[in-house]
Amino acid sequence: MKAMVDKDTCIGCELCTSVCPGVFSMGEDGKSEAITSDVPADMHSDARDAAEQCPVGAISIEE
Ligand code: SF4
């Protein structure tokens, strides 16, 4: 699984970094970014939750 953040869309609410801190982290630009290019299996569920809960739909998941 791969997770990507569209920084142009992200509003920096930090929700994804709370829901799935193993994958998402806030960058110096105040926007979230995926800190791992290949999401470990035990984080797939949390990564999907983060993508579903992002208020602006900035996270895309590639299974
Ligand atoms: S939940 Fe969405 S808007 Fe909020 S920091 Fe993460 S990617 Fe950005």
Side-chain angles (χ1 to χ4, degrees), residues 26-50:
M26 299 308 292
E28 289 182 6
D29 57 2
K31 306 290 182 84
S32 170
E33 55 196 29
I35 52 177
T36 173
S37 57
D38 195 9
V39 179
D42 62 349
M43 295 179 192
H44 284 188
S45 176
D46 285 349
R48 280 192 205 99
D49 285 348

Side-chain angles (χ1 to χ4, degrees), residues 5 9-17 24 26 30-32 50 53-59:
V5 176
T9 305
C10 174
I11 57 172
C13 73
E14 302 189 19
L15 183 145
C16 57
T17 60
F24 302 101
M26 299 308 292
K31 306 290 182 84
S32 170
Q53 292 173 30
C54 173
V56 292
I59 299 171

